[in-house]
Amino acid sequence: MNLLTFFVGLGLFLTALIVPLTLIGGSGTVGIEGDRDGQLCAHAGDLPVEDVPTKGDYSEQIGEVESRVDVVPIELLVCEPLKGLDHKAVKYSLKAMTEVPTFAVYLVFLFGIRRVMIQTDRGGPFGHETARLLTRLGWWLFGGLIAATLIETTAESLLIGTMVKGQTSGWAELDFPAVMILGALGIVGVGRVLKQGARLQDDVEGTV
């Protein structure tokens, strides 16, 4: 096992250990990003900048700003106290589904990267199996991120629908991780290049 494979494995272990702890935080808080203490919150979109009050004391969060500088808090959260929360299991499940799918995609991706590294050590970078694994890994990341975004947006919409009558976050809030999706296609491309390299290597070995 080389050093890089070891660190990938360590990252997998820490991720599997830390993330579940962040999903259920302490002090009665559902500890997913964007929550307030003791409340379950969903992101309902961003307010138009021109409609947001720009004066306020945010020194505790960001420090003191210059007198001519405005602070624009545009994130709109819909929050409900955890105490006395009705349909708690449903709302907790929906809240988890706004975060878990992307985490699962990346976790499987890390396992796949580790497997590719091990296979590279065994058969070299231009092995057919290495190329196949890398190509499949790229397609997994590509399709997984798209599916995870759709699932998380739907879950957030349904969660908001349980707290605001007749309102959901809607499909307008779809936010695909474009950079990572393009990176996934790049991984597929690299896998195909390695496949061609493996074929050329077979041809060279066949002529020797």
Side-chain angles (χ1 to χ4, degrees):
M1 178 185 297
N2 59 36
L3 192 60
L4 185 56
T5 304
F6 168 77
F7 280 115
V8 170
L10 180 62
L12 284 170
F13 172 76
L14 293 177
T15 301
L17 178 66
I18 293 172
V19 171
L21 296 178
T22 64
L23 292 178
I24 303 296
S27 305
T29 302
V30 180
I32 299 177
E33 181 181 359
D35 282 351
R36 301 173 64 190
D37 189 29
Q39 295 182 322
L40 183 140
C41 298
H43 179 242
D46 295 332
L47 295 172
V49 174
E50 60 271 15
D51 295 339
V52 179
T54 57
K55 301 299 181 184
D57 184 10
Y58 301 100
S59 57
E60 290 186 4
Q61 290 80 18
I62 62 174
E64 187 175 355
V65 300
E66 299 290 341
S67 58
R68 65 190 187 94
V69 174
D70 289 333
V71 180
V72 184
I74 64 172
E75 185 178 34
L76 184 61
L77 292 179
V78 178
C79 300
E80 183 176 359
L82 293 177
K83 187 175 181 179
L85 184 69
D86 60 334
H87 306 294
K88 183 178 293 187
V90 173
K91 292 181 179 179
Y92 272 31
S93 298
L94 289 173
K95 184 61 179 178
M97 289 304 293
T98 66
E99 298 282 342
V100 170
T102 295
F103 161 71
V105 171
Y106 285 134
L107 186 62
V108 173
F109 177 75
L110 285 175
F111 274 109
I113 285 292
R114 184 173 182 274
R115 187 178 176 188
V116 169
M117 290 177 178
I118 293 173
Q119 181 60 39
T120 302
D121 289 340
R122 291 174 180 173
F126 294 107
H128 288 282
E129 184 65 14
T130 300
R132 185 184 67 84
L133 289 174
L134 197 60
T135 302
R136 290 178 59 182
L137 192 60
W139 283 123
W140 162 261
L141 187 61
F142 175 80
L145 288 176
I146 292 176
T149 302
L150 293 173
I151 292 170
E152 290 170 0
T153 302
T154 301
E156 192 122 45
S157 299
L158 293 173
L159 180 59
I160 292 174
T162 66
M163 294 188 282
V164 181
K165 295 180 179 180
Q167 297 291 328
T168 66
S169 62
W171 293 106
E173 294 301 319
L174 276 172
D175 186 16
F176 291 103
V179 174
M180 293 304 299
I181 289 175
L182 290 175
L185 293 177
I187 293 173
V188 173
V190 172
R192 291 186 174 180
V193 169
L194 293 180
K195 183 178 180 180
Q196 293 300 321
R199 288 177 179 174
L200 290 173
Q201 183 170 282
D202 289 344
D203 292 340
V204 170
E205 290 175 353
T207 58
V208 173

mmCIF file of all heavy atoms in Angstrom, residues 8 11-12 15 99-113 137 140-142 144-145 148-149 152 176-181 184:
data_model
loop_
_atom_site.group_PDB
_atom_site.id
_atom_site.type_symbol
_atom_site.label_atom_id
_atom_site.label_comp_id
_atom_site.label_asym_id
_atom_site.label_seq_id
_atom_site.Cartn_x
_atom_site.Cartn_y
_atom_site.Cartn_z
ATOM 1 N N VAL A 8 -6.094 8.188 1.354
ATOM 2 C CA VAL A 8 -7.469 8.067 0.863
ATOM 3 C C VAL A 8 -8.294 7.210 1.814
ATOM 4 O O VAL A 8 -9.436 7.534 2.147
ATOM 5 C CB VAL A 8 -7.490 7.483 -0.565
ATOM 6 C CG1 VAL A 8 -8.917 7.135 -0.981
ATOM 7 C CG2 VAL A 8 -6.897 8.466 -1.555
ATOM 8 N N GLY A 11 -9.060 9.189 4.854
ATOM 9 C CA GLY A 11 -10.130 10.142 4.576
ATOM 10 C C GLY A 11 -11.497 9.485 4.590
ATOM 11 O O GLY A 11 -12.473 10.056 5.094
ATOM 12 N N LEU A 12 -11.584 8.272 4.052
ATOM 13 C CA LEU A 12 -12.838 7.518 4.075
ATOM 14 C C LEU A 12 -13.284 7.247 5.509
ATOM 15 O O LEU A 12 -14.468 7.411 5.848
ATOM 16 C CB LEU A 12 -12.674 6.204 3.319
ATOM 17 C CG LEU A 12 -12.659 6.283 1.793
ATOM 18 C CD1 LEU A 12 -12.241 4.939 1.214
ATOM 19 C CD2 LEU A 12 -14.021 6.672 1.266
ATOM 20 N N THR A 15 -14.425 10.510 7.185
ATOM 21 C CA THR A 15 -15.698 10.958 6.621
ATOM 22 C C THR A 15 -16.855 10.143 7.169
ATOM 23 O O THR A 15 -17.888 10.672 7.568
ATOM 24 C CB THR A 15 -15.676 10.850 5.084
ATOM 25 O OG1 THR A 15 -14.605 11.650 4.574
ATOM 26 C CG2 THR A 15 -16.987 11.337 4.487
ATOM 27 N N GLU A 99 -29.209 16.400 2.332
ATOM 28 C CA GLU A 99 -27.754 16.391 2.463
ATOM 29 C C GLU A 99 -27.123 15.041 2.129
ATOM 30 O O GLU A 99 -26.033 14.964 1.560
ATOM 31 C CB GLU A 99 -27.352 16.764 3.907
ATOM 32 C CG GLU A 99 -27.772 18.151 4.344
ATOM 33 C CD GLU A 99 -26.867 19.225 3.791
ATOM 34 O OE1 GLU A 99 -25.747 18.895 3.363
ATOM 35 O OE2 GLU A 99 -27.285 20.393 3.789
ATOM 36 N N VAL A 100 -27.811 13.958 2.514
ATOM 37 C CA VAL A 100 -27.214 12.625 2.451
ATOM 38 C C VAL A 100 -26.878 12.157 1.031
ATOM 39 O O VAL A 100 -25.809 11.561 0.818
ATOM 40 C CB VAL A 100 -28.123 11.606 3.163
ATOM 41 C CG1 VAL A 100 -27.654 10.177 2.904
ATOM 42 C CG2 VAL A 100 -28.140 11.887 4.663
ATOM 43 N N PRO A 101 -27.741 12.374 0.020
ATOM 44 C CA PRO A 101 -27.424 11.820 -1.312
ATOM 45 C C PRO A 101 -26.076 12.255 -1.870
ATOM 46 O O PRO A 101 -25.308 11.427 -2.371
ATOM 47 C CB PRO A 101 -28.589 12.328 -2.183
ATOM 48 C CG PRO A 101 -29.724 12.452 -1.229
ATOM 49 C CD PRO A 101 -29.105 12.944 0.047
ATOM 50 N N THR A 102 -25.757 13.547 -1.786
ATOM 51 C CA THR A 102 -24.464 14.017 -2.291
ATOM 52 C C THR A 102 -23.322 13.404 -1.500
ATOM 53 O O THR A 102 -22.298 12.991 -2.074
ATOM 54 C CB THR A 102 -24.384 15.546 -2.224
ATOM 55 O OG1 THR A 102 -25.357 16.099 -3.120
ATOM 56 C CG2 THR A 102 -23.007 16.042 -2.644
ATOM 57 N N PHE A 103 -23.490 13.315 -0.185
ATOM 58 C CA PHE A 103 -22.466 12.683 0.646
ATOM 59 C C PHE A 103 -22.240 11.241 0.222
ATOM 60 O O PHE A 103 -21.103 10.771 0.104
ATOM 61 C CB PHE A 103 -22.878 12.753 2.117
ATOM 62 C CG PHE A 103 -22.155 11.769 2.995
ATOM 63 C CD1 PHE A 103 -20.816 11.937 3.290
ATOM 64 C CD2 PHE A 103 -22.813 10.662 3.507
ATOM 65 C CE1 PHE A 103 -20.141 11.027 4.082
ATOM 66 C CE2 PHE A 103 -22.153 9.748 4.301
ATOM 67 C CZ PHE A 103 -20.817 9.933 4.598
ATOM 68 N N ALA A 104 -23.335 10.508 -0.050
ATOM 69 C CA ALA A 104 -23.225 9.113 -0.455
ATOM 70 C C ALA A 104 -22.490 8.976 -1.785
ATOM 71 O O ALA A 104 -21.664 8.074 -1.966
ATOM 72 C CB ALA A 104 -24.613 8.481 -0.542
ATOM 73 N N VAL A 105 -22.783 9.870 -2.719
ATOM 74 C CA VAL A 105 -22.110 9.840 -4.022
ATOM 75 C C VAL A 105 -20.604 10.030 -3.851
ATOM 76 O O VAL A 105 -19.799 9.279 -4.420
ATOM 77 C CB VAL A 105 -22.686 10.930 -4.955
ATOM 78 C CG1 VAL A 105 -21.827 11.055 -6.225
ATOM 79 C CG2 VAL A 105 -24.117 10.587 -5.344
ATOM 80 N N TYR A 106 -20.223 11.017 -3.049
ATOM 81 C CA TYR A 106 -18.797 11.279 -2.851
ATOM 82 C C TYR A 106 -18.123 10.147 -2.073
ATOM 83 O O TYR A 106 -16.950 9.835 -2.321
ATOM 84 C CB TYR A 106 -18.593 12.603 -2.124
ATOM 85 C CG TYR A 106 -18.827 13.818 -2.989
ATOM 86 C CD1 TYR A 106 -19.591 14.883 -2.541
ATOM 87 C CD2 TYR A 106 -18.272 13.898 -4.265
ATOM 88 C CE1 TYR A 106 -19.801 16.002 -3.343
ATOM 89 C CE2 TYR A 106 -18.476 14.999 -5.072
ATOM 90 C CZ TYR A 106 -19.242 16.048 -4.597
ATOM 91 O OH TYR A 106 -19.452 17.154 -5.389
ATOM 92 N N LEU A 107 -18.846 9.540 -1.136
ATOM 93 C CA LEU A 107 -18.261 8.445 -0.360
ATOM 94 C C LEU A 107 -17.958 7.251 -1.263
ATOM 95 O O LEU A 107 -16.867 6.665 -1.207
ATOM 96 C CB LEU A 107 -19.216 8.033 0.765
ATOM 97 C CG LEU A 107 -18.673 6.985 1.743
ATOM 98 C CD1 LEU A 107 -17.456 7.506 2.484
ATOM 99 C CD2 LEU A 107 -19.764 6.578 2.736
ATOM 100 N N VAL A 108 -18.927 6.883 -2.108
ATOM 101 C CA VAL A 108 -18.702 5.786 -3.055
ATOM 102 C C VAL A 108 -17.569 6.144 -4.016
ATOM 103 O O VAL A 108 -16.749 5.298 -4.382
ATOM 104 C CB VAL A 108 -19.995 5.471 -3.831
ATOM 105 C CG1 VAL A 108 -19.730 4.462 -4.945
ATOM 106 C CG2 VAL A 108 -21.062 4.936 -2.883
ATOM 107 N N PHE A 109 -17.510 7.426 -4.412
ATOM 108 C CA PHE A 109 -16.446 7.876 -5.299
ATOM 109 C C PHE A 109 -15.077 7.688 -4.659
ATOM 110 O O PHE A 109 -14.121 7.237 -5.312
ATOM 111 C CB PHE A 109 -16.665 9.342 -5.664
ATOM 112 C CG PHE A 109 -15.587 9.933 -6.529
ATOM 113 C CD1 PHE A 109 -15.516 9.625 -7.877
ATOM 114 C CD2 PHE A 109 -14.633 10.796 -6.001
ATOM 115 C CE1 PHE A 109 -14.528 10.156 -8.682
ATOM 116 C CE2 PHE A 109 -13.647 11.334 -6.793
ATOM 117 C CZ PHE A 109 -13.591 11.018 -8.139
ATOM 118 N N LEU A 110 -14.958 8.006 -3.371
ATOM 119 C CA LEU A 110 -13.683 7.826 -2.668
ATOM 120 C C LEU A 110 -13.296 6.355 -2.601
ATOM 121 O O LEU A 110 -12.130 5.996 -2.783
ATOM 122 C CB LEU A 110 -13.771 8.420 -1.262
ATOM 123 C CG LEU A 110 -13.724 9.941 -1.171
ATOM 124 C CD1 LEU A 110 -13.935 10.394 0.270
ATOM 125 C CD2 LEU A 110 -12.387 10.477 -1.686
ATOM 126 N N PHE A 111 -14.280 5.490 -2.331
ATOM 127 C CA PHE A 111 -13.996 4.057 -2.347
ATOM 128 C C PHE A 111 -13.518 3.618 -3.731
ATOM 129 O O PHE A 111 -12.603 2.804 -3.868
ATOM 130 C CB PHE A 111 -15.251 3.265 -1.958
ATOM 131 C CG PHE A 111 -15.426 3.087 -0.479
ATOM 132 C CD1 PHE A 111 -16.430 3.754 0.199
ATOM 133 C CD2 PHE A 111 -14.586 2.248 0.235
ATOM 134 C CE1 PHE A 111 -16.598 3.599 1.561
ATOM 135 C CE2 PHE A 111 -14.743 2.082 1.607
ATOM 136 C CZ PHE A 111 -15.751 2.759 2.278
ATOM 137 N N GLY A 112 -14.157 4.175 -4.771
ATOM 138 C CA GLY A 112 -13.758 3.837 -6.133
ATOM 139 C C GLY A 112 -12.345 4.293 -6.450
ATOM 140 O O GLY A 112 -11.576 3.562 -7.092
ATOM 141 N N ILE A 113 -11.987 5.496 -6.009
ATOM 142 C CA ILE A 113 -10.628 6.009 -6.228
ATOM 143 C C ILE A 113 -9.608 5.095 -5.548
ATOM 144 O O ILE A 113 -8.553 4.777 -6.121
ATOM 145 C CB ILE A 113 -10.507 7.443 -5.685
ATOM 146 C CG1 ILE A 113 -11.209 8.424 -6.626
ATOM 147 C CG2 ILE A 113 -9.048 7.848 -5.528
ATOM 148 C CD1 ILE A 113 -10.533 8.597 -7.966
ATOM 149 N N LEU A 137 -16.146 4.879 -12.789
ATOM 150 C CA LEU A 137 -16.150 5.823 -11.678
ATOM 151 C C LEU A 137 -16.579 7.213 -12.146
ATOM 152 O O LEU A 137 -17.338 7.910 -11.460
ATOM 153 C CB LEU A 137 -14.753 5.877 -11.052
ATOM 154 C CG LEU A 137 -14.621 6.583 -9.703
ATOM 155 C CD1 LEU A 137 -15.489 5.905 -8.663
ATOM 156 C CD2 LEU A 137 -13.165 6.580 -9.262
ATOM 157 N N TRP A 140 -20.264 7.165 -12.725
ATOM 158 C CA TRP A 140 -20.945 7.163 -11.427
ATOM 159 C C TRP A 140 -21.027 8.577 -10.864
ATOM 160 O O TRP A 140 -22.097 9.001 -10.396
ATOM 161 C CB TRP A 140 -20.226 6.253 -10.436
ATOM 162 C CG TRP A 140 -20.613 6.535 -9.005
ATOM 163 C CD1 TRP A 140 -19.924 7.272 -8.090
ATOM 164 C CD2 TRP A 140 -21.815 6.122 -8.343
ATOM 165 N NE1 TRP A 140 -20.610 7.343 -6.906
ATOM 166 C CE2 TRP A 140 -21.778 6.648 -7.036
ATOM 167 C CE3 TRP A 140 -22.913 5.365 -8.737
ATOM 168 C CZ2 TRP A 140 -22.796 6.426 -6.115
ATOM 169 C CZ3 TRP A 140 -23.936 5.148 -7.816
ATOM 170 C CH2 TRP A 140 -23.865 5.678 -6.522
ATOM 171 N N LEU A 141 -19.918 9.302 -10.873
ATOM 172 C CA LEU A 141 -19.909 10.651 -10.328
ATOM 173 C C LEU A 141 -20.825 11.572 -11.138
ATOM 174 O O LEU A 141 -21.564 12.383 -10.568
ATOM 175 C CB LEU A 141 -18.477 11.198 -10.333
ATOM 176 C CG LEU A 141 -18.259 12.549 -9.639
ATOM 177 C CD1 LEU A 141 -18.626 12.462 -8.167
ATOM 178 C CD2 LEU A 141 -16.809 12.995 -9.786
ATOM 179 N N PHE A 142 -20.803 11.431 -12.453
ATOM 180 C CA PHE A 142 -21.641 12.259 -13.326
ATOM 181 C C PHE A 142 -23.132 12.024 -13.043
ATOM 182 O O PHE A 142 -23.877 12.960 -12.724
ATOM 183 C CB PHE A 142 -21.321 11.945 -14.791
ATOM 184 C CG PHE A 142 -22.202 12.658 -15.780
ATOM 185 C CD1 PHE A 142 -21.951 13.979 -16.118
ATOM 186 C CD2 PHE A 142 -23.267 11.999 -16.372
ATOM 187 C CE1 PHE A 142 -22.764 14.640 -17.032
ATOM 188 C CE2 PHE A 142 -24.088 12.653 -17.292
ATOM 189 C CZ PHE A 142 -23.839 13.969 -17.621
ATOM 190 N N GLY A 144 -24.489 10.283 -10.550
ATOM 191 C CA GLY A 144 -24.821 10.375 -9.136
ATOM 192 C C GLY A 144 -25.062 11.794 -8.673
ATOM 193 O O GLY A 144 -25.999 12.066 -7.909
ATOM 194 N N LEU A 145 -24.240 12.737 -9.128
ATOM 195 C CA LEU A 145 -24.409 14.129 -8.721
ATOM 196 C C LEU A 145 -25.700 14.723 -9.279
ATOM 197 O O LEU A 145 -26.378 15.500 -8.597
ATOM 198 C CB LEU A 145 -23.205 14.961 -9.175
ATOM 199 C CG LEU A 145 -21.910 14.718 -8.405
ATOM 200 C CD1 LEU A 145 -20.768 15.520 -9.008
ATOM 201 C CD2 LEU A 145 -22.074 15.074 -6.931
ATOM 202 N N ALA A 148 -28.482 13.106 -7.226
ATOM 203 C CA ALA A 148 -28.474 13.614 -5.854
ATOM 204 C C ALA A 148 -29.060 15.019 -5.785
ATOM 205 O O ALA A 148 -29.812 15.346 -4.859
ATOM 206 C CB ALA A 148 -27.044 13.613 -5.308
ATOM 207 N N THR A 149 -28.738 15.851 -6.769
ATOM 208 C CA THR A 149 -29.283 17.211 -6.786
ATOM 209 C C THR A 149 -30.797 17.187 -6.929
ATOM 210 O O THR A 149 -31.511 17.942 -6.252
ATOM 211 C CB THR A 149 -28.659 18.022 -7.937
ATOM 212 O OG1 THR A 149 -27.240 18.058 -7.778
ATOM 213 C CG2 THR A 149 -29.189 19.451 -7.939
ATOM 214 N N GLU A 152 -32.272 15.928 -3.560
ATOM 215 C CA GLU A 152 -32.156 16.919 -2.489
ATOM 216 C C GLU A 152 -33.101 18.092 -2.706
ATOM 217 O O GLU A 152 -33.701 18.605 -1.752
ATOM 218 C CB GLU A 152 -30.711 17.396 -2.395
ATOM 219 C CG GLU A 152 -29.768 16.329 -1.857
ATOM 220 C CD GLU A 152 -28.306 16.697 -1.983
ATOM 221 O OE1 GLU A 152 -28.003 17.796 -2.491
ATOM 222 O OE2 GLU A 152 -27.473 15.873 -1.575
ATOM 223 N N PHE A 176 -27.091 22.572 -9.730
ATOM 224 C CA PHE A 176 -26.198 21.466 -10.064
ATOM 225 C C PHE A 176 -24.736 21.872 -9.852
ATOM 226 O O PHE A 176 -24.353 23.003 -10.203
ATOM 227 C CB PHE A 176 -26.390 21.036 -11.519
ATOM 228 C CG PHE A 176 -27.693 20.370 -11.802
ATOM 229 C CD1 PHE A 176 -28.720 21.045 -12.434
ATOM 230 C CD2 PHE A 176 -27.905 19.047 -11.419
ATOM 231 C CE1 PHE A 176 -29.929 20.424 -12.682
ATOM 232 C CE2 PHE A 176 -29.113 18.419 -11.669
ATOM 233 C CZ PHE A 176 -30.133 19.112 -12.304
ATOM 234 N N PRO A 177 -23.921 20.988 -9.272
ATOM 235 C CA PRO A 177 -22.485 21.264 -9.105
ATOM 236 C C PRO A 177 -21.762 21.141 -10.443
ATOM 237 O O PRO A 177 -21.162 20.099 -10.745
ATOM 238 C CB PRO A 177 -22.039 20.205 -8.099
ATOM 239 C CG PRO A 177 -22.984 19.062 -8.328
ATOM 240 C CD PRO A 177 -24.300 19.677 -8.713
ATOM 241 N N ALA A 178 -21.829 22.193 -11.237
ATOM 242 C CA ALA A 178 -21.354 22.126 -12.623
ATOM 243 C C ALA A 178 -19.879 21.740 -12.722
ATOM 244 O O ALA A 178 -19.501 20.947 -13.599
ATOM 245 C CB ALA A 178 -21.595 23.477 -13.311
ATOM 246 N N VAL A 179 -19.052 22.287 -11.842
ATOM 247 C CA VAL A 179 -17.616 22.010 -11.917
ATOM 248 C C VAL A 179 -17.344 20.528 -11.686
ATOM 249 O O VAL A 179 -16.564 19.895 -12.419
ATOM 250 C CB VAL A 179 -16.852 22.871 -10.893
ATOM 251 C CG1 VAL A 179 -15.378 22.475 -10.857
ATOM 252 C CG2 VAL A 179 -16.990 24.352 -11.240
ATOM 253 N N MET A 180 -18.013 19.943 -10.677
ATOM 254 C CA MET A 180 -17.792 18.535 -10.387
ATOM 255 C C MET A 180 -18.349 17.644 -11.494
ATOM 256 O O MET A 180 -17.770 16.597 -11.811
ATOM 257 C CB MET A 180 -18.439 18.174 -9.046
ATOM 258 C CG MET A 180 -17.788 18.830 -7.845
ATOM 259 S SD MET A 180 -16.017 18.464 -7.727
ATOM 260 C CE MET A 180 -16.042 16.687 -7.549
ATOM 261 N N ILE A 181 -19.461 18.047 -12.097
ATOM 262 C CA ILE A 181 -20.032 17.265 -13.194
ATOM 263 C C ILE A 181 -19.091 17.279 -14.398
ATOM 264 O O ILE A 181 -18.851 16.251 -15.041
ATOM 265 C CB ILE A 181 -21.427 17.800 -13.561
ATOM 266 C CG1 ILE A 181 -22.426 17.461 -12.451
ATOM 267 C CG2 ILE A 181 -21.905 17.222 -14.897
ATOM 268 C CD1 ILE A 181 -23.799 18.054 -12.650
ATOM 269 N N ALA A 184 -16.286 15.040 -13.659
ATOM 270 C CA ALA A 184 -16.639 13.635 -13.840
ATOM 271 C C ALA A 184 -16.494 13.218 -15.297
ATOM 272 O O ALA A 184 -15.979 12.130 -15.602
ATOM 273 C CB ALA A 184 -18.075 13.398 -13.368
#
